[in-house]
């Protein structure tokens, strides 16, 4: 058997892995990129971020078509062709994954389809082929957590199955009110399902600002979604007629559903590549520990993205991918920030970065809070936006912005200004004295800063 050799090998072609491979190639390395999928892009492109955003766009159009009735425009009841919607979504995914193949070719990155596992500190097995390498990057991501004791039934979906859009069930139970659960609730409620979200913690989107979450919670309820917080699903039984979810806590009793989505978090895939064979430790959550330069404890082996633990977000993986490629190629680089923005692409969107009010309080950090309600935003009202809120957490002494939360239409896009502000140590004055175009939703950020400074004239 011929042993193959790679100068720089990346395991996993998600947004972390392909970004790492492409950056390394741009730095002059000879790169091999390995993934078991037929297409590049990992979970994000194939069965995560991108297909979910396509379905969320469709959901938003359905909702807007309904809401424009209040403006004297009757678009009628939308007729939904599920097959056409599914193929549109798949077409978008295909376009993007095809684009990645082109980018890999242009950079002369060799792509290998297969499943890799370590056999030593500088050797791998890829589907029976023996490889050696000089440097390797583990970018194998994460997988949905399966709750123990759930029956094996094709009406019980994980996020991948939910995005396949097999059917629109009459009654859909979603276990877990995190980002995946809430995005899927937004999609399936718009498509006509009666959706119930069951969340274990005392609010949906745990960890996000409670006041902003309330706005989203109320909006979802208005869209017909039933939400049970502080509630745990203890057992689930499957009969021919229905699924029965037994719940305890805030909602105690049985809940019947025609399909159920498990969205209770993701588990790192570290153990799958058997890193112990290379001397790289993996913990019992499947996580591989790294330093800010994405180095593992073994020289020449790096890890990036979901496999390195929370937050499991594509944009963090991409940045780590660049860092790993640069450090491996002799440059000095690090991802030395925990400022990783979060966005739930729900309707309305919920977006946050930096310290929340609750975190500042819990950590004993001196802080003040200012907010601006979107009911007072001309742009929001004139474009049919519902309730919304912009909230800044800042230092009372220096006026430096420490964190931001926005809920409302396009909150995810607006967040970028706040992330930059926190990253660059901007003050309230920096934001308030920057001229924001009128009328825009971005003005709500300047208005919030003005409110904190006592210079606001729009409230
Ligand atoms: P999550 O950890 O965000 O949310 C899971 C939720 O399930 C939590 O709120 C938890 O309290 C709840 N839960 C756990 N066990 C439960 C039980 N037995 N009964 C009821 N509730 C229970 O996980 P997720 O939503 O599955 O998402 C997984 C990962 O993917 C996260 O890291 C998320 O950030 C990421 N993701 C991000 C985006 C985005 O950025 N837009 C989209 C999708 C997923």
């Amino acid at each position: 058997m011929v042993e193959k050799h790679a100068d720089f090998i990346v395991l996993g072609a998600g947004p972390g892995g392909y970004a790492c491979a492409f950056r390394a190639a741009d730095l002059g390395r000879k790169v091999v990129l390995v993934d078991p999928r037929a297409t590049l892009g990992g979970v994000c492109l194939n069965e995560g971020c991108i297909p979910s955003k396509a379905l969320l766009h469709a959901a938003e159009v359905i909702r807007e078509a309904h809401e424009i009735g209040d403006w004297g425009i009757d678009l009628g009841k939308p007729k939904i062709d599920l097959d056409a919607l599914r193929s549109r979504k798949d077409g978008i995914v295909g376009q993007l994954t095809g684009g990645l193949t082109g980018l890999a070719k242009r950079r002369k990155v060799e792509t290998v389809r297969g499943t890799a596992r370590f056999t030593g500190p500088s050797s791998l097995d890829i589907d029976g082929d023996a490889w050696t390498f000089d440097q390797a990057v583990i970018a194998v991501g994460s997988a949905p957590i399966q709750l123990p004791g759930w029956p094996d039934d094709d009406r019980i979906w994980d996020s991948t199955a939910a995005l396949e859009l097999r059917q629109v069930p009459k009654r859909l139970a979603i276990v877990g009110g995190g980002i995946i659960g809430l995005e899927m609730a937004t999609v399936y409620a718009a498509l006509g399902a009666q959706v119930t979200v069951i969340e274990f913690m005392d609010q949906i989107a745990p960890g996000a600002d409670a006041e902003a979450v309330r706005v989203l919670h109320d909006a979802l309820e208005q869209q017909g979604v039933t939400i049970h917080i502080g509630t745990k699903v203890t057992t689930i039984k499957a009969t021919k007629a229905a699924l029965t979810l037994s719940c305890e806590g805030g909602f105690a009793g049985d809940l019947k559903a025609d399909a159920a989505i498990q969205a209770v978090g993701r588990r790192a895939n570290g153990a799958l590549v058997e890193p112990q064979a290379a001397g790289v430790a993996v913990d019992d959550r499947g996580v591989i520990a790294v330093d800010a330069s994405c180095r593992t404890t073994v020289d020449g082996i790096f890890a990036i993205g979901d496999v390195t633990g929370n937050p499991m977000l594509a944009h963090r993986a991409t940045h780590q991918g660049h860092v790993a490629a640069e450090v491996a190629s002799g440059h000095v680089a690090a991802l030395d920030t925990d400022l990783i923005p979060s966005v739930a692409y729900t309707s309305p969107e919920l977006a946050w970065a930096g310290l929340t009010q609750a975190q500042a309080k819990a950590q004993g950090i001196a802080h003040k809070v200012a907010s601006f309600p979107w009911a007072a935003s001309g742009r929001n009202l004139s474009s049919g936006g519902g309730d919304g809120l912009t909230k800044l957490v800042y230092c009372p002494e220096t006026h430096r912005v420490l964190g931001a939360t926005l809920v409302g239409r396009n909150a995810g896009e607006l967040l970028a200004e706040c992330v930059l502000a926190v990253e660059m140590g901007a003050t309230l004055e920096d934001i308030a004295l920057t001229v924001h175009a009128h009328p825009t939703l971005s003005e709500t950020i300047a208005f919030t800063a003005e409110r904190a400074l006592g210079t606001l004239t729009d409230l």
Side-chain angles (χ1 to χ4, degrees), residues 153 155 237-244:
D153 189 296
R155 292 166 295 178
K237 284 200 196 89
T239 62
K240 206 165 167 235
L243 300 170
T244 305

Side-chain angles (χ1 to χ4, degrees), residues 48-49 52-53 56 142 144-145 147 150 159 174-183 198-206 228 231-234 262-267 306 310-315 341-345:
C49 317
S52 62
K53 263 75 267 176
L56 282 158
S142 61
I145 292 176
L147 288 171
W150 279 47
S159 54
I174 300 180
V175 184
I179 293 187
I180 292 183
L182 298 176
E183 291 186 351
I198 304 131
E199 167 55 48
F200 181 65
M201 304 294 277
D202 59 5
Q203 69 169 48
I204 54 170
H228 297 307
T231 301
K232 190 175 157 195
V233 175
T234 50
Q262 288 198 63
V264 294
R266 298 182 65 86
R267 193 189 142 77
D306 288 9
N310 287 321
M312 295 190 185
L313 294 167
H315 38 279
S342 294
V343 180
Y345 297 86

